[in-house]
mmCIF file of all heavy atoms in Angstrom:
data_model
loop_
_atom_site.group_PDB
_atom_site.id
_atom_site.type_symbol
_atom_site.label_atom_id
_atom_site.label_comp_id
_atom_site.label_asym_id
_atom_site.label_seq_id
_atom_site.Cartn_x
_atom_site.Cartn_y
_atom_site.Cartn_z
ATOM 1 N N ALA A 1 171.392 132.525 73.610
ATOM 2 C CA ALA A 1 170.722 131.229 73.607
ATOM 3 C C ALA A 1 169.511 131.207 74.532
ATOM 4 O O ALA A 1 168.952 130.140 74.797
ATOM 5 C CB ALA A 1 171.679 130.095 73.972
ATOM 6 N N GLY A 2 169.098 132.372 74.994
ATOM 7 C CA GLY A 2 167.974 132.443 75.895
ATOM 8 C C GLY A 2 166.627 132.543 75.208
ATOM 9 O O GLY A 2 165.594 132.462 75.878
ATOM 10 N N SER A 3 166.638 132.737 73.911
ATOM 11 C CA SER A 3 165.401 132.890 73.166
ATOM 12 C C SER A 3 165.500 132.153 71.843
ATOM 13 O O SER A 3 166.509 132.261 71.147
ATOM 14 C CB SER A 3 165.112 134.374 72.915
ATOM 15 O OG SER A 3 163.909 134.554 72.203
ATOM 16 N N THR A 4 164.458 131.417 71.514
ATOM 17 C CA THR A 4 164.392 130.708 70.238
ATOM 18 C C THR A 4 163.033 130.923 69.600
ATOM 19 O O THR A 4 162.036 131.158 70.281
ATOM 20 C CB THR A 4 164.640 129.204 70.407
ATOM 21 O OG1 THR A 4 163.679 128.664 71.327
ATOM 22 C CG2 THR A 4 166.042 128.935 70.934
ATOM 23 N N ASP A 5 162.999 130.850 68.287
ATOM 24 C CA ASP A 5 161.768 130.955 67.524
ATOM 25 C C ASP A 5 161.773 129.886 66.450
ATOM 26 O O ASP A 5 162.817 129.558 65.893
ATOM 27 C CB ASP A 5 161.631 132.339 66.889
ATOM 28 C CG ASP A 5 161.484 133.447 67.902
ATOM 29 O OD1 ASP A 5 160.441 133.479 68.585
ATOM 30 O OD2 ASP A 5 162.404 134.272 68.019
ATOM 31 N N TYR A 6 160.580 129.379 66.139
ATOM 32 C CA TYR A 6 160.449 128.320 65.154
ATOM 33 C C TYR A 6 159.293 128.595 64.220
ATOM 34 O O TYR A 6 158.283 129.187 64.607
ATOM 35 C CB TYR A 6 160.206 126.972 65.840
ATOM 36 C CG TYR A 6 161.311 126.530 66.748
ATOM 37 C CD1 TYR A 6 161.288 126.839 68.104
ATOM 38 C CD2 TYR A 6 162.391 125.802 66.249
ATOM 39 C CE1 TYR A 6 162.310 126.431 68.939
ATOM 40 C CE2 TYR A 6 163.411 125.396 67.086
ATOM 41 C CZ TYR A 6 163.371 125.713 68.431
ATOM 42 O OH TYR A 6 164.390 125.306 69.259
ATOM 43 N N ALA A 7 159.453 128.145 62.997
ATOM 44 C CA ALA A 7 158.329 128.143 62.085
ATOM 45 C C ALA A 7 157.254 127.203 62.621
ATOM 46 O O ALA A 7 157.559 126.182 63.243
ATOM 47 C CB ALA A 7 158.770 127.693 60.700
ATOM 48 N N ASP A 8 156.005 127.554 62.376
ATOM 49 C CA ASP A 8 154.911 126.718 62.863
ATOM 50 C C ASP A 8 155.023 125.280 62.363
ATOM 51 O O ASP A 8 154.654 124.336 63.070
ATOM 52 C CB ASP A 8 153.568 127.302 62.434
ATOM 53 C CG ASP A 8 153.202 128.562 63.189
ATOM 54 O OD1 ASP A 8 153.784 128.809 64.261
ATOM 55 O OD2 ASP A 8 152.327 129.299 62.704
ATOM 56 N N SER A 9 155.541 125.115 61.172
ATOM 57 C CA SER A 9 155.616 123.794 60.571
ATOM 58 C C SER A 9 156.599 122.860 61.265
ATOM 59 O O SER A 9 156.534 121.645 61.061
ATOM 60 C CB SER A 9 155.988 123.912 59.089
ATOM 61 O OG SER A 9 157.235 124.560 58.929
ATOM 62 N N VAL A 10 157.504 123.406 62.070
ATOM 63 C CA VAL A 10 158.510 122.565 62.711
ATOM 64 C C VAL A 10 158.440 122.592 64.231
ATOM 65 O O VAL A 10 159.191 121.867 64.892
ATOM 66 C CB VAL A 10 159.937 122.946 62.266
ATOM 67 C CG1 VAL A 10 160.047 122.941 60.751
ATOM 68 C CG2 VAL A 10 160.356 124.297 62.832
ATOM 69 N N LYS A 11 157.550 123.392 64.785
ATOM 70 C CA LYS A 11 157.437 123.476 66.237
ATOM 71 C C LYS A 11 157.135 122.110 66.836
ATOM 72 O O LYS A 11 156.297 121.368 66.344
ATOM 73 C CB LYS A 11 156.339 124.464 66.632
ATOM 74 C CG LYS A 11 156.728 125.912 66.472
ATOM 75 C CD LYS A 11 155.601 126.840 66.918
ATOM 76 C CE LYS A 11 156.009 128.292 66.788
ATOM 77 N NZ LYS A 11 154.897 129.208 67.154
ATOM 78 N N GLY A 12 157.841 121.801 67.894
ATOM 79 C CA GLY A 12 157.673 120.526 68.560
ATOM 80 C C GLY A 12 158.501 119.413 67.973
ATOM 81 O O GLY A 12 158.600 118.336 68.584
ATOM 82 N N ARG A 13 159.091 119.639 66.811
ATOM 83 C CA ARG A 13 159.899 118.620 66.160
ATOM 84 C C ARG A 13 161.368 119.014 66.037
ATOM 85 O O ARG A 13 162.244 118.161 66.134
ATOM 86 C CB ARG A 13 159.349 118.310 64.764
ATOM 87 C CG ARG A 13 157.918 117.792 64.774
ATOM 88 C CD ARG A 13 157.482 117.329 63.389
ATOM 89 N NE ARG A 13 157.494 118.421 62.418
ATOM 90 C CZ ARG A 13 158.252 118.442 61.322
ATOM 91 N NH1 ARG A 13 159.059 117.424 61.049
ATOM 92 N NH2 ARG A 13 158.186 119.470 60.484
ATOM 93 N N PHE A 14 161.624 120.291 65.803
ATOM 94 C CA PHE A 14 162.990 120.775 65.618
ATOM 95 C C PHE A 14 163.435 121.563 66.840
ATOM 96 O O PHE A 14 162.630 122.244 67.489
ATOM 97 C CB PHE A 14 163.081 121.694 64.394
ATOM 98 C CG PHE A 14 162.911 121.016 63.064
ATOM 99 C CD1 PHE A 14 162.467 119.708 62.963
ATOM 100 C CD2 PHE A 14 163.205 121.712 61.904
ATOM 101 C CE1 PHE A 14 162.307 119.096 61.731
ATOM 102 C CE2 PHE A 14 163.060 121.114 60.664
ATOM 103 C CZ PHE A 14 162.611 119.811 60.576
ATOM 104 N N THR A 15 164.721 121.498 67.119
ATOM 105 C CA THR A 15 165.306 122.265 68.210
ATOM 106 C C THR A 15 166.601 122.908 67.746
ATOM 107 O O THR A 15 167.504 122.213 67.278
ATOM 108 C CB THR A 15 165.593 121.386 69.434
ATOM 109 O OG1 THR A 15 164.386 120.751 69.874
ATOM 110 C CG2 THR A 15 166.145 122.238 70.577
ATOM 111 N N ILE A 16 166.685 124.218 67.863
ATOM 112 C CA ILE A 16 167.916 124.919 67.548
ATOM 113 C C ILE A 16 168.699 125.139 68.832
ATOM 114 O O ILE A 16 168.119 125.415 69.887
ATOM 115 C CB ILE A 16 167.633 126.258 66.826
ATOM 116 C CG1 ILE A 16 168.936 126.897 66.322
ATOM 117 C CG2 ILE A 16 166.857 127.219 67.713
ATOM 118 C CD1 ILE A 16 168.710 128.090 65.394
ATOM 119 N N SER A 17 170.000 124.986 68.744
ATOM 120 C CA SER A 17 170.853 125.190 69.897
ATOM 121 C C SER A 17 172.196 125.725 69.420
ATOM 122 O O SER A 17 172.476 125.749 68.221
ATOM 123 C CB SER A 17 171.032 123.896 70.694
ATOM 124 O OG SER A 17 171.657 122.894 69.914
ATOM 125 N N ARG A 18 173.002 126.141 70.357
ATOM 126 C CA ARG A 18 174.313 126.649 69.978
ATOM 127 C C ARG A 18 175.340 126.321 71.039
ATOM 128 O O ARG A 18 175.033 126.207 72.226
ATOM 129 C CB ARG A 18 174.255 128.163 69.725
ATOM 130 C CG ARG A 18 173.941 129.017 70.951
ATOM 131 C CD ARG A 18 173.558 130.439 70.543
ATOM 132 N NE ARG A 18 174.582 131.075 69.740
ATOM 133 C CZ ARG A 18 174.398 132.160 68.985
ATOM 134 N NH1 ARG A 18 173.193 132.726 68.934
ATOM 135 N NH2 ARG A 18 175.407 132.665 68.284
ATOM 136 N N ASP A 19 176.562 126.177 70.591
ATOM 137 C CA ASP A 19 177.705 126.002 71.464
ATOM 138 C C ASP A 19 178.694 127.078 71.068
ATOM 139 O O ASP A 19 179.477 126.909 70.134
ATOM 140 C CB ASP A 19 178.305 124.608 71.320
ATOM 141 C CG ASP A 19 179.412 124.345 72.322
ATOM 142 O OD1 ASP A 19 179.981 125.302 72.871
ATOM 143 O OD2 ASP A 19 179.717 123.156 72.562
ATOM 144 N N ASN A 20 178.640 128.188 71.768
ATOM 145 C CA ASN A 20 179.474 129.320 71.386
ATOM 146 C C ASN A 20 180.961 129.034 71.560
ATOM 147 O O ASN A 20 181.791 129.595 70.847
ATOM 148 C CB ASN A 20 179.070 130.562 72.185
ATOM 149 C CG ASN A 20 177.748 131.139 71.733
ATOM 150 O OD1 ASN A 20 177.366 131.007 70.573
ATOM 151 N ND2 ASN A 20 177.036 131.782 72.652
ATOM 152 N N ALA A 21 181.300 128.169 72.493
ATOM 153 C CA ALA A 21 182.698 127.799 72.672
ATOM 154 C C ALA A 21 183.245 127.102 71.435
ATOM 155 O O ALA A 21 184.439 127.195 71.135
ATOM 156 C CB ALA A 21 182.862 126.911 73.894
ATOM 157 N N LYS A 22 182.377 126.399 70.722
ATOM 158 C CA LYS A 22 182.771 125.719 69.497
ATOM 159 C C LYS A 22 182.419 126.505 68.249
ATOM 160 O O LYS A 22 182.672 126.038 67.134
ATOM 161 C CB LYS A 22 182.110 124.339 69.426
ATOM 162 C CG LYS A 22 182.545 123.381 70.516
ATOM 163 C CD LYS A 22 181.867 122.030 70.353
ATOM 164 C CE LYS A 22 182.336 121.055 71.406
ATOM 165 N NZ LYS A 22 181.667 119.731 71.263
ATOM 166 N N ASN A 23 181.808 127.674 68.437
ATOM 167 C CA ASN A 23 181.392 128.506 67.313
ATOM 168 C C ASN A 23 180.493 127.725 66.354
ATOM 169 O O ASN A 23 180.629 127.800 65.134
ATOM 170 C CB ASN A 23 182.601 129.064 66.557
ATOM 171 C CG ASN A 23 182.630 130.582 66.530
ATOM 172 O OD1 ASN A 23 182.126 131.247 67.435
ATOM 173 N ND2 ASN A 23 183.222 131.148 65.487
ATOM 174 N N THR A 24 179.561 127.002 66.930
ATOM 175 C CA THR A 24 178.725 126.101 66.156
ATOM 176 C C THR A 24 177.264 126.231 66.570
ATOM 177 O O THR A 24 176.951 126.372 67.758
ATOM 178 C CB THR A 24 179.183 124.645 66.333
ATOM 179 O OG1 THR A 24 180.545 124.520 65.899
ATOM 180 C CG2 THR A 24 178.324 123.696 65.510
ATOM 181 N N VAL A 25 176.388 126.185 65.580
ATOM 182 C CA VAL A 25 174.949 126.180 65.793
ATOM 183 C C VAL A 25 174.394 124.866 65.265
ATOM 184 O O VAL A 25 174.841 124.369 64.222
ATOM 185 C CB VAL A 25 174.277 127.372 65.093
ATOM 186 C CG1 VAL A 25 172.774 127.369 65.324
ATOM 187 C CG2 VAL A 25 174.870 128.678 65.602
ATOM 188 N N TYR A 26 173.421 124.327 65.963
ATOM 189 C CA TYR A 26 172.862 123.035 65.605
ATOM 190 C C TYR A 26 171.369 123.146 65.337
ATOM 191 O O TYR A 26 170.685 124.027 65.843
ATOM 192 C CB TYR A 26 173.068 122.023 66.734
ATOM 193 C CG TYR A 26 174.501 121.845 67.153
ATOM 194 C CD1 TYR A 26 175.011 122.544 68.241
ATOM 195 C CD2 TYR A 26 175.341 120.980 66.467
ATOM 196 C CE1 TYR A 26 176.330 122.384 68.633
ATOM 197 C CE2 TYR A 26 176.655 120.816 66.853
ATOM 198 C CZ TYR A 26 177.147 121.521 67.940
ATOM 199 O OH TYR A 26 178.460 121.345 68.317
ATOM 200 N N LEU A 27 170.889 122.220 64.546
ATOM 201 C CA LEU A 27 169.458 122.052 64.363
ATOM 202 C C LEU A 27 169.145 120.572 64.500
ATOM 203 O O LEU A 27 169.474 119.778 63.611
ATOM 204 C CB LEU A 27 168.995 122.580 63.006
ATOM 205 C CG LEU A 27 167.483 122.547 62.778
ATOM 206 C CD1 LEU A 27 166.780 123.542 63.699
ATOM 207 C CD2 LEU A 27 167.148 122.855 61.317
ATOM 208 N N GLN A 28 168.552 120.207 65.618
ATOM 209 C CA GLN A 28 168.116 118.837 65.835
ATOM 210 C C GLN A 28 166.737 118.680 65.228
ATOM 211 O O GLN A 28 165.805 119.390 65.604
ATOM 212 C CB GLN A 28 168.079 118.510 67.327
ATOM 213 C CG GLN A 28 167.596 117.100 67.648
ATOM 214 C CD GLN A 28 168.546 116.035 67.161
ATOM 215 O OE1 GLN A 28 169.753 116.145 67.357
ATOM 216 N NE2 GLN A 28 168.011 115.008 66.508
ATOM 217 N N MET A 29 166.604 117.754 64.303
ATOM 218 C CA MET A 29 165.358 117.549 63.587
ATOM 219 C C MET A 29 164.842 116.153 63.890
ATOM 220 O O MET A 29 165.483 115.157 63.543
ATOM 221 C CB MET A 29 165.556 117.731 62.086
ATOM 222 C CG MET A 29 166.165 119.077 61.704
ATOM 223 S SD MET A 29 166.255 119.320 59.910
ATOM 224 C CE MET A 29 167.423 118.021 59.485
ATOM 225 N N ASN A 30 163.709 116.090 64.535
ATOM 226 C CA ASN A 30 163.076 114.827 64.878
ATOM 227 C C ASN A 30 161.744 114.703 64.152
ATOM 228 O O ASN A 30 161.186 115.680 63.665
ATOM 229 C CB ASN A 30 162.848 114.725 66.386
ATOM 230 C CG ASN A 30 164.125 114.756 67.186
ATOM 231 O OD1 ASN A 30 165.168 114.279 66.746
ATOM 232 N ND2 ASN A 30 164.053 115.316 68.392
ATOM 233 N N SER A 31 161.242 113.492 64.113
ATOM 234 C CA SER A 31 159.949 113.217 63.477
ATOM 235 C C SER A 31 159.872 113.836 62.093
ATOM 236 O O SER A 31 158.902 114.505 61.729
ATOM 237 C CB SER A 31 158.804 113.738 64.358
ATOM 238 O OG SER A 31 158.835 113.140 65.639
ATOM 239 N N LEU A 32 160.901 113.608 61.316
ATOM 240 C CA LEU A 32 160.995 114.227 60.003
ATOM 241 C C LEU A 32 159.889 113.748 59.073
ATOM 242 O O LEU A 32 159.481 112.584 59.110
ATOM 243 C CB LEU A 32 162.354 113.951 59.385
ATOM 244 C CG LEU A 32 163.487 114.812 59.963
ATOM 245 C CD1 LEU A 32 164.839 114.204 59.642
ATOM 246 C CD2 LEU A 32 163.398 116.238 59.416
ATOM 247 N N LYS A 33 159.434 114.666 58.249
ATOM 248 C CA LYS A 33 158.386 114.415 57.282
ATOM 249 C C LYS A 33 158.906 114.683 55.881
ATOM 250 O O LYS A 33 159.832 115.467 55.703
ATOM 251 C CB LYS A 33 157.183 115.323 57.558
ATOM 252 C CG LYS A 33 156.611 115.229 58.958
ATOM 253 C CD LYS A 33 155.521 116.267 59.166
ATOM 254 C CE LYS A 33 154.957 116.207 60.564
ATOM 255 N NZ LYS A 33 153.896 117.234 60.780
ATOM 256 N N PRO A 34 158.304 114.063 54.876
ATOM 257 C CA PRO A 34 158.747 114.340 53.504
ATOM 258 C C PRO A 34 158.732 115.826 53.154
ATOM 259 O O PRO A 34 159.584 116.285 52.384
ATOM 260 C CB PRO A 34 157.746 113.557 52.659
ATOM 261 C CG PRO A 34 157.358 112.412 53.529
ATOM 262 C CD PRO A 34 157.308 112.986 54.925
#
C-alpha cells in the first residue's frame, strides 16, 4: 500500500486503498463525471 498509480483521467478524483486484514481493496470515486 506504499505505492499507487492512477490513470490520468481519474487523478485527483479517485483514490485506491486496501485493508489487507479484511482482504479488501477499495476505490473511492469523487467528483464523478458521465
Side-chain angles (χ1 to χ4, degrees):
S3 181
T4 58
D5 295 293
Y6 299 92
D8 288 342
S9 59
V10 306
K11 284 181 179 177
R13 300 187 298 119
F14 291 11
T15 302
I16 188 170
S17 62
R18 66 194 304 163
D19 186 340
N20 287 331
K22 296 181 178 179
N23 239 29
T24 301
V25 180
Y26 304 96
L27 185 68
Q28 178 66 46
M29 305 185 295
N30 298 327
S31 301
L32 283 162
K33 304 174 181 179

